[in-house]
Amino acid sequence: MKVSKQKFGLLCDGTKVNLYTVKNDNMSFSCTEYGATLTSIVLNNKDGSKTDVLLGFSTLEGYLNTKYCFGAIVGRFANRIGKASFVLNGKKYSLDKNDGPNTLHGGFDGYDKMLWKGKSIKGKNFCGVKFSRMSPDGEQGFPGNVKLEVTYLLDTKNNLTCFYTAESDAPTPINITNHAYFNLAGKGNIGKHTMQMNSSNILEVSPKLIPTGKLTEVAGTPFDFTKEKEIGKDIAEVGSGYDHCYVTEMYNPDKIRTSVPLDDSDLVEFCTVKEPTLGHEMSVFTNMEGCQFYTGNFIKGILGKNGSLYQNHDAFCLETQAFPDTPNHADFPTCILEPGQKMKAKTIYSFK
């Protein structure tokens, strides 16, 4: 197990941006201070070759010039907030309308475009990188000064664990996730990947993808992955592709969570994805109630790493998170971080 650091590039003001690489005997991942972004996840193949299963860019410039958040952290509130506003403690807060009339991933000034402070971490059976930054009161229109930490750890069992923590001096919505684009074959359409989800419901959404407040059963619909099936099997029946929040087994309708996650020791297995050609497999564990399943519906024509030209459905995203538009739904598990609390969200991407 080891961590190395090298220069990744310079920002326009001359600030140096570092790239960290973390390795065990079977795999490695790299990440950068720009956007606390995962830039690669490299797995060993059976024949001794290697495959990078993460879409992205070979240079810092690629990340500077994209709006698609490849591998980056999104927040202060990931996903959508309807009508780009919410009311908290009687006060209305107005946000950026960067997704039609709504806010997506925090607005125009996203966490993916911000420089984080990186620090190497090493333990007995793991090593990784911790990124931190202070989000000031009023940033993106949200209240409260928020101390943020994002930690990526790799252990000897090929688990890539993502920890997200936050503390605030004022009540504020919080919803942090990573926007990694996966392809377990390394390239090409992901339609032949198979997926099995431990999820019986998705959030019903409006045509603008804002939750109505209702949960919809997936049984008998193209959204049903309760039994293993190819991602591409029913994708033509859901419009441009999947972009829906699935409900994980952390959600308990009889005991709705009234505080942000404060304990990351209790996880559920959300899904397993398999790739038939190389045989790579990835399982996802989380302590969040939602996971946005997105199939790269709008990445056609993007020039990615090593000269790859990406097409729609060349990747899938599994963004573990609070339910979208939670600040406007009192009956959803709360996303409001209160002073004195420490939000602890956790996701594990486990590779075989």
Side-chain angles (χ1 to χ4, degrees), residues 127-138:
C127 54
V129 184
K130 177 182 287 186
F131 295 105
S132 60
R133 70 175 299 267
M134 180 65 72
S135 175
D137 178 50

Side-chain angles (χ1 to χ4, degrees), residues 266-279:
D266 187 19
L267 304 177
V268 296
E269 182 173 2
F270 172 65
C271 74
T272 296
V273 185
K274 299 177 182 179
E275 193 283 317
T277 304
L278 298 177

Side-chain angles (χ1 to χ4, degrees), residues 5-9 11 16-21 29-40 57 59-60 63 70-73 111-112 114-118 129-131 150 152 178:
K5 183 174 74 170
Q6 66 186 78
K7 179 181 174 181
F8 193 42
L11 299 181
K16 183 175 78 169
V17 178
N18 291 309
L19 180 75
Y20 297 82
T21 299
F29 76 87
S30 295
C31 55
T32 179
E33 295 162 332
Y34 186 72
T37 298
L38 290 171
T39 60
S40 70
F57 305 95
T59 65
L60 175 61
Y63 293 98
F70 283 88
I73 289 298
Y111 286 178
D112 62 306
M114 297 178 182
L115 192 65
W116 297 62
K117 182 179 180 181
V129 184
K130 177 182 287 186
F131 295 105
V150 173
Y152 303 127
N178 185 282

Side-chain angles (χ1 to χ4, degrees), residues 1 22-29 41-45 50 53 125-127 152-162 182 184 279-285 347-352:
M1 303 287 296
V22 183
K23 296 181 178 181
N24 66 15
D25 291 337
N26 301 307
M27 63 175 287
S28 68
F29 76 87
I41 298 175
V42 179
L43 306 182
N44 288 346
N45 300 324
K50 298 179 183 295
V53 300
N125 295 310
F126 66 87
C127 54
Y152 303 127
L153 296 181
L154 179 64
D155 64 24
T156 56
K157 296 181 180 180
N158 302 328
N159 296 313
L160 173 53
T161 302
C162 308
F182 296 99
L184 299 185
H280 294 311
E281 179 178 323
M282 182 181 80
S283 296
V284 180
F285 302 81
T347 294
I348 299 175
Y349 300 108
S350 182
F351 294 92
K352 294 181 181 178

Side-chain angles (χ1 to χ4, degrees), residues 1-15:
M1 303 287 296
K2 65 178 183 178
V3 185
S4 59
K5 183 174 74 170
Q6 66 186 78
K7 179 181 174 181
F8 193 42
L10 298 174
L11 299 181
C12 58
D13 63 359
T15 302

